[in-house]
Coordinates of all heavy atoms in Angstrom, one line a residue:
H26 N 8.7 9.1 -3.8 CA 7.7 8.3 -4.6 C 8.1 8.2 -6.0 O 8.6 9.1 -6.6 CB 6.3 8.9 -4.5 CG 6.0 9.4 -3.1 ND1 6.1 8.6 -2.0 CD2 5.6 10.6 -2.6 CE1 5.7 9.2 -1.0 NE2 5.4 10.4 -1.3
K27 N 7.7 7.1 -6.6 CA 7.9 6.9 -8.0 C 6.7 6.5 -8.8 O 5.9 5.8 -8.2 CB 9.0 5.8 -8.3 CG 10.3 6.1 -7.7 CD 11.3 5.1 -8.0 CE 12.7 5.3 -7.5 NZ 13.6 4.3 -7.7
I28 N 6.5 7.1 -9.9 CA 5.4 6.8 -10.8 C 5.9 5.8 -11.7 O 7.0 6.1 -12.4 CB 4.8 8.0 -11.4 CG1 4.2 8.9 -10.3 CG2 3.8 7.6 -12.5 CD1 3.7 10.3 -10.8
L29 N 5.3 4.7 -11.9 CA 5.8 3.7 -12.8 C 4.7 3.4 -13.8 O 3.6 3.0 -13.5 CB 6.1 2.4 -12.0 CG 6.6 1.2 -12.7 CD1 8.0 1.4 -13.3 CD2 6.6 0.0 -11.7
K30 N 5.1 3.6 -15.0 CA 4.1 3.2 -16.1 C 4.6 1.9 -16.6 O 5.8 1.6 -16.9 CB 4.2 4.3 -17.2 CG 3.6 5.6 -16.7 CD 3.5 6.6 -17.9 CE 2.9 7.9 -17.3 NZ 2.6 8.8 -18.4
T31 N 3.6 1.0 -16.8 CA 4.0 -0.4 -17.0 C 2.9 -1.1 -17.9 O 1.7 -0.6 -17.9 CB 4.2 -1.2 -15.8 OG1 4.5 -2.6 -16.1 CG2 3.0 -1.1 -14.8
K32 N 3.3 -2.2 -18.5 CA 2.3 -2.9 -19.3 C 1.5 -3.9 -18.4 O 0.5 -4.4 -18.8 CB 3.0 -3.7 -20.4 CG 4.0 -4.8 -19.9 CD 4.6 -5.5 -21.1 CE 5.5 -6.5 -20.5 NZ 6.0 -7.4 -21.6
Y33 N 2.0 -4.1 -17.2 CA 1.4 -5.0 -16.3 C 0.1 -4.5 -15.7 O 0.0 -3.2 -15.4 CB 2.3 -5.4 -15.1 CG 3.5 -6.3 -15.6 CD1 4.8 -5.7 -15.5 CD2 3.4 -7.5 -16.0 CE1 5.9 -6.4 -15.9 CE2 4.4 -8.3 -16.4 CZ 5.7 -7.8 -16.4 OH 6.8 -8.5 -16.8
K34 N -0.8 -5.2 -15.4 CA -2.1 -4.9 -14.6 C -1.8 -4.9 -13.1 O -0.8 -5.5 -12.7 CB -3.2 -5.8 -15.0 CG -3.5 -6.1 -16.4 CD -4.4 -5.0 -16.9 CE -4.8 -5.4 -18.3 NZ -4.8 -4.4 -19.2
M35 N -2.6 -4.1 -12.5 CA -2.4 -4.0 -10.9 C -2.4 -5.3 -10.3 O -1.5 -5.7 -9.5 CB -3.4 -3.1 -10.4 CG -3.2 -2.9 -8.9 SD -1.7 -2.0 -8.5 CE -2.1 -0.4 -8.8
Y36 N -3.2 -6.3 -10.7 CA -3.3 -7.6 -10.0 C -2.0 -8.3 -10.3 O -1.6 -9.2 -9.4 CB -4.6 -8.3 -10.5 CG -4.6 -8.9 -11.8 CD1 -4.0 -10.0 -12.3 CD2 -5.2 -8.1 -12.9 CE1 -4.0 -10.5 -13.5 CE2 -5.2 -8.5 -14.2 CZ -4.6 -9.7 -14.5 OH -4.6 -10.1 -15.8
E37 N -1.4 -8.1 -11.5 CA -0.1 -8.8 -11.8 C 0.9 -8.3 -10.8 O 1.8 -9.0 -10.3 CB 0.3 -8.6 -13.2 CG -0.7 -9.3 -14.1 CD -0.5 -8.9 -15.6 OE1 -0.4 -7.8 -16.0 OE2 -0.4 -9.9 -16.4
W38 N 1.0 -6.9 -10.6 CA 2.0 -6.3 -9.7 C 1.7 -6.9 -8.3 O 2.7 -7.1 -7.5 CB 1.9 -4.8 -9.7 CG 2.8 -4.2 -10.9 CD1 2.3 -3.6 -11.9 CD2 4.1 -4.4 -11.1 NE1 3.3 -3.3 -12.8 CE2 4.4 -3.7 -12.3 CE3 5.2 -4.9 -10.3 CZ2 5.7 -3.6 -12.7 CZ3 6.4 -4.8 -10.8 CH2 6.7 -4.2 -12.0
L39 N 0.5 -6.9 -7.9 CA 0.3 -7.4 -6.5 C 0.8 -8.9 -6.3 O 1.3 -9.2 -5.3 CB -1.3 -7.4 -6.2 CG -1.8 -6.0 -5.9 CD1 -3.3 -6.0 -5.9 CD2 -1.3 -5.6 -4.6
E40 N 0.6 -9.7 -7.4 CA 1.1 -11.1 -7.3 C 2.6 -11.1 -7.2 O 3.2 -11.8 -6.5 CB 0.6 -11.9 -8.5 CG 1.0 -13.3 -8.4 CD 0.5 -14.0 -7.2 OE1 -0.5 -13.7 -6.7 OE2 1.2 -15.1 -6.8
I41 N 3.2 -10.3 -8.1 CA 4.7 -10.2 -8.1 C 5.4 -9.6 -6.8 O 6.3 -10.2 -6.3 CB 5.2 -9.3 -9.2 CG1 4.8 -9.9 -10.6 CG2 6.6 -9.0 -9.1 CD1 5.0 -8.9 -11.8
L42 N 4.6 -8.7 -6.2 CA 5.2 -8.0 -4.9 C 4.6 -8.5 -3.6 O 5.0 -7.9 -2.6 CB 5.0 -6.5 -5.1 CG 5.6 -5.8 -6.3 CD1 5.2 -4.4 -6.5 CD2 7.1 -5.9 -6.2
K43 N 3.8 -9.5 -3.7 CA 3.1 -9.8 -2.5 C 3.9 -10.3 -1.3 O 3.7 -10.0 -0.2 CB 2.0 -11.0 -2.7 CG 2.6 -12.3 -3.1 CD 1.5 -13.3 -3.3 CE 2.2 -14.7 -3.7 NZ 1.1 -15.6 -4.0
N44 N 5.2 -10.8 -1.6 CA 6.0 -11.3 -0.5 C 7.0 -10.1 -0.1 O 7.9 -10.3 0.7 CB 6.8 -12.5 -0.9 CG 5.9 -13.7 -1.1 OD1 4.9 -13.8 -0.3 ND2 6.1 -14.6 -2.0
L45 N 6.8 -9.0 -0.7 CA 7.7 -7.8 -0.4 C 7.0 -6.8 0.3 O 7.4 -5.6 0.4 CB 8.3 -7.4 -1.7 CG 9.2 -8.3 -2.5 CD1 9.6 -7.7 -3.9 CD2 10.4 -8.7 -1.7
Y46 N 5.8 -7.1 0.9 CA 5.1 -6.2 1.9 C 4.5 -4.9 1.1 O 4.3 -3.9 1.6 CB 6.1 -5.6 2.9 CG 6.7 -6.7 3.7 CD1 8.1 -6.8 3.6 CD2 6.0 -7.7 4.4 CE1 8.7 -8.0 4.2 CE2 6.5 -8.7 5.0 CZ 8.0 -8.9 4.9 OH 8.7 -9.8 5.6
F47 N 4.1 -5.1 -0.2 CA 3.4 -4.1 -0.9 C 1.9 -4.3 -0.8 O 1.4 -5.5 -0.9 CB 3.8 -4.0 -2.4 CG 5.1 -3.4 -2.6 CD1 6.3 -4.0 -2.5 CD2 5.0 -2.0 -3.0 CE1 7.5 -3.4 -2.8 CE2 6.2 -1.4 -3.1 CZ 7.5 -2.0 -3.1
V48 N 1.2 -3.3 -0.5 CA -0.3 -3.4 -0.3 C -1.0 -2.3 -1.1 O -0.5 -1.2 -1.1 CB -0.7 -3.4 1.2 CG1 -2.2 -3.5 1.3 CG2 0.0 -4.4 2.0
Q49 N -2.1 -2.6 -1.6 CA -2.9 -1.6 -2.4 C -3.7 -0.8 -1.5 O -4.4 -1.2 -0.6 CB -3.8 -2.4 -3.4 CG -4.4 -1.5 -4.4 CD -5.2 -2.3 -5.6 OE1 -5.3 -3.5 -5.5 NE2 -5.6 -1.5 -6.5
S50 N -3.5 0.6 -1.8 CA -4.3 1.5 -0.9 C -5.4 2.2 -1.7 O -6.2 2.9 -1.2 CB -3.4 2.6 -0.3 OG -2.8 3.4 -1.4
Y51 N -5.2 2.3 -3.0 CA -6.1 3.0 -3.9 C -6.0 2.2 -5.3 O -5.2 1.3 -5.5 CB -5.6 4.4 -4.0 CG -6.7 5.4 -4.3 CD1 -7.4 5.9 -3.2 CD2 -7.0 6.0 -5.5 CE1 -8.4 6.8 -3.3 CE2 -8.0 6.9 -5.7 CZ -8.7 7.3 -4.6 OH -9.7 8.2 -4.7
K52 N -7.0 2.6 -6.1 CA -7.1 1.9 -7.5 C -5.7 1.7 -8.2 O -5.5 0.6 -8.6 CB -8.0 2.7 -8.3 CG -8.2 2.0 -9.7 CD -9.2 2.9 -10.5 CE -9.4 2.2 -11.9 NZ -10.2 3.0 -12.7
S53 N -4.9 2.7 -8.1 CA -3.6 2.5 -8.9 C -2.4 2.8 -8.0 O -1.3 3.2 -8.5 CB -3.6 3.4 -10.1 OG -3.7 4.8 -9.6
I54 N -2.5 2.6 -6.7 CA -1.4 2.8 -5.8 C -1.0 1.6 -5.0 O -1.9 1.0 -4.3 CB -1.7 4.0 -4.8 CG1 -1.9 5.2 -5.6 CG2 -0.6 4.1 -3.8 CD1 -2.5 6.4 -4.8
L55 N 0.2 1.2 -4.9 CA 0.7 0.2 -4.1 C 1.7 0.8 -3.1 O 2.5 1.7 -3.5 CB 1.5 -0.9 -4.9 CG 0.7 -1.8 -5.7 CD1 1.6 -2.7 -6.5 CD2 -0.3 -2.5 -5.1
I56 N 1.6 0.5 -1.8 CA 2.5 1.1 -0.8 C 3.3 -0.1 -0.1 O 2.7 -1.1 0.3 CB 1.7 1.8 0.2 CG1 0.9 3.0 -0.4 CG2 2.6 2.3 1.3 CD1 0.0 3.7 0.5
N57 N 4.7 0.2 0.0 CA 5.4 -0.7 0.8 C 5.2 -0.4 2.3 O 5.4 0.6 2.8 CB 6.9 -0.5 0.4 CG 7.8 -1.6 1.1 OD1 7.6 -1.9 2.1 ND2 8.8 -1.9 0.3
L58 N 4.8 -1.5 3.0 CA 4.5 -1.4 4.4 C 5.7 -1.0 5.3 O 5.5 -0.4 6.4 CB 3.9 -2.6 5.0 CG 2.5 -3.0 4.4 CD1 2.0 -4.4 4.9 CD2 1.5 -1.9 4.7
N59 N 6.8 -1.3 4.8 CA 8.1 -0.8 5.5 C 8.2 0.7 5.7 O 8.9 1.1 6.6 CB 9.3 -1.3 4.7 CG 9.5 -2.8 4.8 OD1 9.8 -3.2 6.0 ND2 9.5 -3.4 3.7
Y60 N 7.4 1.4 5.0 CA 7.6 2.9 5.0 C 6.4 3.6 5.6 O 6.2 4.8 5.6 CB 7.9 3.5 3.6 CG 9.2 3.0 3.1 CD1 9.3 1.9 2.3 CD2 10.3 3.6 3.5 CE1 10.5 1.4 1.8 CE2 11.6 3.1 3.1 CZ 11.7 2.0 2.2 OH 12.9 1.6 1.9
V61 N 5.3 2.8 6.1 CA 4.1 3.4 6.6 C 4.3 3.8 8.0 O 4.9 3.0 8.9 CB 2.9 2.4 6.5 CG1 1.7 2.9 7.2 CG2 2.7 2.1 5.0
N62 N 4.0 5.0 8.3 CA 4.1 5.5 9.6 C 2.7 5.5 10.5 O 2.7 5.3 11.6 CB 4.7 6.9 9.6 CG 5.1 7.4 11.0 OD1 5.8 6.7 11.7 ND2 4.7 8.5 11.4
E63 N 1.7 5.8 9.7 CA 0.4 6.0 10.3 C -0.7 5.7 9.2 O -0.5 6.0 8.1 CB 0.3 7.3 10.9 CG -1.0 7.8 11.5 CD -0.9 9.2 12.0 OE1 0.1 9.9 11.8 OE2 -2.0 9.6 12.5
I64 N -1.9 5.3 9.7 CA -3.1 5.2 8.9 C -4.1 6.1 9.4 O -4.4 5.9 10.6 CB -3.5 3.7 8.7 CG1 -2.4 2.8 8.1 CG2 -4.8 3.7 7.9 CD1 -2.8 1.4 8.2
K65 N -4.6 6.9 8.6 CA -5.7 7.7 9.0 C -6.9 7.3 8.3 O -6.9 6.3 7.5 CB -5.4 9.2 8.6 CG -4.3 9.7 9.4 CD -4.1 11.2 9.2 CE -2.9 11.8 10.0 NZ -2.8 13.1 10.0
K66 N -8.0 8.0 8.4 CA -9.3 7.6 7.9 C -9.3 7.5 6.3 O -9.8 6.5 5.7 CB -10.5 8.6 8.3 CG -11.8 8.2 7.8 CD -12.9 9.0 8.3 CE -14.2 8.5 8.0 NZ -15.3 9.3 8.5
K67 N -8.7 8.5 5.7 CA -8.7 8.4 4.2 C -7.2 8.6 3.6 O -7.1 8.8 2.4 CB -9.4 9.6 3.6 CG -10.9 9.6 4.0 CD -11.6 10.9 3.4 CE -13.1 10.8 3.6 NZ -13.8 11.9 3.1
D68 N -6.2 8.4 4.5 CA -4.8 8.6 4.0 C -3.8 7.6 4.8 O -4.2 7.2 5.8 CB -4.3 10.0 4.3 CG -5.1 11.1 3.7 OD1 -5.3 10.9 2.5 OD2 -5.6 12.0 4.4
V69 N -2.7 7.4 4.1 CA -1.6 6.7 4.7 C -0.5 7.6 4.8 O -0.2 8.4 3.7 CB -1.2 5.4 3.8 CG1 0.0 4.8 4.3 CG2 -2.4 4.5 3.7
V70 N 0.1 7.8 6.0 CA 1.2 8.7 6.2 C 2.4 7.9 6.2 O 2.6 6.9 6.9 CB 1.1 9.5 7.5 CG1 2.2 10.4 7.7 CG2 -0.3 10.2 7.6
L71 N 3.4 8.3 5.3 CA 4.7 7.6 5.3 C 5.7 8.2 6.2 O 5.5 9.3 6.7 CB 5.2 7.6 3.8 CG 4.3 7.0 2.7 CD1 4.9 7.1 1.3 CD2 3.9 5.6 3.0
E72 N 6.9 7.4 6.4 CA 7.9 7.9 7.2 C 8.4 9.3 6.9 O 8.8 10.0 7.8 CB 9.0 6.9 7.3 CG 8.7 5.6 8.0 CD 9.8 4.6 8.0 OE1 10.8 4.8 7.2 OE2 9.8 3.7 8.7
D73 N 8.4 9.7 5.6 CA 8.9 11.0 5.3 C 7.8 12.1 5.3 O 8.0 13.2 4.8 CB 9.6 10.9 3.9 CG 8.5 10.7 2.8 OD1 7.3 10.4 3.0 OD2 9.0 10.6 1.5
R74 N 6.7 11.7 5.9 CA 5.5 12.5 6.1 C 4.7 12.8 4.8 O 3.8 13.5 4.8 CB 5.9 13.9 6.7 CG 6.6 13.7 8.0 CD 6.4 14.8 8.9 NE 7.2 14.8 10.1 CZ 6.8 14.3 11.2 NH1 5.6 13.7 11.3 NH2 7.6 14.3 12.3
S75 N 5.1 12.1 3.8 CA 4.2 12.1 2.6 C 2.9 11.5 2.8 O 2.7 10.5 3.7 CB 4.9 11.3 1.4 OG 6.1 11.8 1.2
I76 N 1.9 11.9 2.1 CA 0.5 11.4 2.4 C 0.0 10.8 1.1 O 0.0 11.5 0.0 CB -0.4 12.5 2.9 CG1 0.0 13.0 4.3 CG2 -1.8 12.0 3.0 CD1 -0.7 14.2 4.9
L77 N -0.5 9.6 1.1 CA -1.1 8.9 0.0 C -2.5 8.6 0.3 O -2.8 8.3 1.5 CB -0.2 7.7 -0.3 CG 1.2 7.9 -0.8 CD1 1.9 6.6 -0.9 CD2 1.3 8.6 -2.1
P78 N -3.4 8.6 -0.7 CA -4.8 8.3 -0.5 C -5.0 6.8 0.0 O -4.4 5.9 -0.5 CB -5.5 8.6 -1.7 CG -4.4 8.5 -2.8 CD -3.1 8.9 -2.1
L79 N -6.0 6.7 0.8 CA -6.5 5.3 1.2 C -8.0 5.3 0.9 O -8.8 6.0 1.6 CB -6.2 5.1 2.6 CG -6.6 3.8 3.2 CD1 -6.0 2.5 2.5 CD2 -6.2 3.6 4.6
S80 N -8.4 4.4 0.0 CA -9.9 4.4 -0.4 C -10.6 3.6 0.7 O -10.1 2.8 1.3 CB -10.0 3.7 -1.7 OG -9.8 2.4 -1.7
K81 N -11.9 3.9 0.7 CA -12.8 3.1 1.6 C -12.8 1.6 1.2 O -12.8 0.8 2.1 CB -14.3 3.6 1.4 CG -14.7 4.8 2.0 CD -16.1 5.0 1.8 CE -16.6 6.3 2.3 NZ -18.1 6.6 2.1
H82 N -12.7 1.3 0.0 CA -12.7 0.0 -0.5 C -11.5 -0.8 0.1 O -11.7 -2.0 0.4 CB -12.6 0.0 -2.0 CG -12.6 -1.4 -2.6 ND1 -13.8 -2.2 -2.8 CD2 -11.6 -2.1 -3.2 CE1 -13.4 -3.3 -3.3 NE2 -12.1 -3.3 -3.6
F83 N -10.3 -0.3 0.1 CA -9.1 -0.9 0.5 C -8.8 -0.7 2.0 O -7.9 -1.3 2.5 CB -7.9 -0.5 -0.4 CG -8.1 -1.0 -1.8 CD1 -8.3 -0.1 -2.8 CD2 -8.0 -2.3 -2.1 CE1 -8.3 -0.5 -4.1 CE2 -8.1 -2.8 -3.4 CZ -8.3 -1.8 -4.4
H84 N -9.5 0.2 2.8 CA -9.0 0.6 4.1 C -9.0 -0.5 5.0 O -7.9 -0.7 5.7 CB -10.0 1.6 4.6 CG -9.6 2.3 5.8 ND1 -9.6 1.7 7.1 CD2 -9.0 3.5 6.1 CE1 -9.1 2.4 8.0 NE2 -8.7 3.6 7.4
K85 N -10.0 -1.3 5.1 CA -9.9 -2.5 6.1 C -8.8 -3.5 5.8 O -8.1 -3.8 6.7 CB -11.2 -3.2 6.1 CG -11.4 -4.2 7.1 CD -12.9 -4.8 7.1 CE -13.0 -5.8 8.3 NZ -14.3 -6.4 8.2
S86 N -8.7 -3.9 4.6 CA -7.7 -4.9 4.2 C -6.3 -4.3 4.4 O -5.4 -4.9 4.9 CB -7.8 -5.4 2.8 OG -7.7 -4.4 1.9
F87 N -6.1 -3.0 4.1 CA -4.8 -2.4 4.2 C -4.4 -2.3 5.6 O -3.3 -2.6 6.1 CB -4.8 -1.0 3.6 CG -3.5 -0.3 3.5 CD1 -2.7 -0.3 2.4 CD2 -3.0 0.3 4.6 CE1 -1.5 0.2 2.3 CE2 -1.7 0.9 4.6 CZ -0.9 0.9 3.4
E88 N -5.4 -1.9 6.5 CA -5.1 -1.7 7.9 C -4.8 -3.1 8.6 O -3.9 -3.1 9.3 CB -6.3 -1.0 8.5 CG -6.1 -0.7 10.1 CD -7.2 0.0 10.6 OE1 -8.4 -0.3 10.3 OE2 -7.0 1.0 11.4
Q89 N -5.4 -4.0 8.2 CA -5.2 -5.4 8.7 C -3.8 -6.0 8.3 O -3.1 -6.5 9.1 CB -6.3 -6.4 8.3 CG -6.1 -7.8 8.9 CD -6.2 -7.7 10.5 OE1 -7.1 -7.2 11.0 NE2 -5.2 -8.2 11.1
K90 N -3.5 -5.8 7.1 CA -2.1 -6.1 6.7 C -1.0 -5.3 7.3 O 0.0 -5.9 7.7 CB -2.1 -6.0 5.1 CG -2.9 -7.1 4.5 CD -2.9 -6.9 3.0 CE -3.8 -8.0 2.4 NZ -4.0 -7.9 0.9
W91 N -1.3 -4.1 7.6 CA -0.3 -3.3 8.2 C -0.1 -3.7 9.7 O 1.0 -3.8 10.2 CB -0.7 -1.8 8.2 CG 0.4 -0.9 8.8 CD1 1.7 -0.8 8.3 CD2 0.3 0.0 9.8 NE1 2.3 0.2 9.1 CE2 1.4 0.7 10.0 CE3 -0.9 0.4 10.6 CZ2 1.7 1.6 10.9 CZ3 -0.6 1.4 11.6 CH2 0.7 2.0 11.7
V92 N -1.2 -3.9 10.4 CA -1.2 -4.4 11.8 C -0.5 -5.8 11.8 O 0.4 -5.9 12.6 CB -2.6 -4.5 12.4 CG1 -2.6 -5.3 13.7 CG2 -3.3 -3.2 12.5
D93 N -0.8 -6.7 10.9 CA -0.1 -8.0 10.9 C 1.4 -7.7 10.7 O 2.2 -8.4 11.3 CB -0.7 -8.9 9.8 CG -2.0 -9.4 10.0 OD1 -2.6 -9.2 11.2 OD2 -2.7 -9.8 9.1
F94 N 1.8 -6.8 9.8 CA 3.1 -6.6 9.5 C 3.9 -6.1 10.7 O 5.0 -6.5 11.0 CB 3.2 -5.5 8.3 CG 4.6 -5.0 8.1 CD1 5.5 -5.8 7.3 CD2 4.9 -3.8 8.5 CE1 6.7 -5.4 7.1 CE2 6.3 -3.3 8.2 CZ 7.1 -4.1 7.5
I95 N 3.3 -5.1 11.4 CA 4.0 -4.5 12.5 C 4.1 -5.4 13.8 O 5.0 -5.3 14.6 CB 3.5 -3.1 12.9 CG1 2.0 -3.1 13.3 CG2 3.8 -2.1 11.8 CD1 1.5 -1.8 13.9
M96 N 3.2 -6.4 13.8 CA 3.2 -7.3 14.9 C 4.2 -8.4 14.8 O 4.5 -9.2 15.7 CB 1.8 -7.9 15.1 CG 0.7 -6.9 15.5 SD 1.2 -6.0 16.9 CE 0.1 -6.7 18.2
H97 N 4.7 -8.6 13.6 CA 5.7 -9.7 13.3 C 7.0 -9.2 13.2 O 7.6 -8.2 13.1 CB 5.4 -10.4 12.1 CG 4.1 -11.2 12.2 ND1 2.9 -10.8 11.8 CD2 3.9 -12.4 12.8 CE1 2.0 -11.7 12.0 NE2 2.6 -12.6 12.7

């Protein structure tokens, strides 16, 4: 995982990365769907078994984007 400090706002990063399978899981977290192994109630489990938080606010949209991603 990398922590990136930037002058860009989150919505700007989302626009820049939208075609590269990055999805927001928490207020300040973007996750590349290529590395998602599992979605739990409050967490996203990555292929390396790292666990990142998944907020209630983003859960439904994150899950839908992940399902769409794995179905294609």
Side-chain angles (χ1 to χ4, degrees):
H26 314 305
K27 293 183 181 179
I28 296 173
L29 179 65
K30 293 186 179 188
T31 175
K32 65 180 182 172
Y33 294 111
K34 306 271 187 228
M35 183 60 82
Y36 70 87
E37 293 172 307
W38 277 114
L39 283 168
E40 184 61 30
I41 292 166
L42 299 171
K43 70 180 177 183
N44 294 325
L45 298 174
Y46 309 113
F47 281 85
V48 181
Q49 191 168 6
S50 69
Y51 214 78
K52 183 179 179 183
S53 61
I54 298 175
L55 294 177
I56 298 176
N57 186 323
L58 294 176
N59 285 298
Y60 298 96
V61 174
N62 191 49
E63 178 182 0
I64 298 173
K65 295 188 176 185
K66 187 174 183 177
K67 295 182 179 180
D68 299 306
V69 175
V70 181
L71 302 181
E72 288 180 344
D73 67 357
R74 303 206 188 272
S75 300
I76 297 173
L77 297 171
L79 179 58
S80 74
K81 282 184 188 180
H82 179 78
F83 294 111
H84 191 282
K85 186 175 181 179
S86 65
F87 189 95
E88 187 173 44
Q89 184 60 56
K90 289 175 184 175
W91 186 60
V92 168
D93 291 345
F94 173 78
I95 60 175
M96 297 304 256
H97 290 99

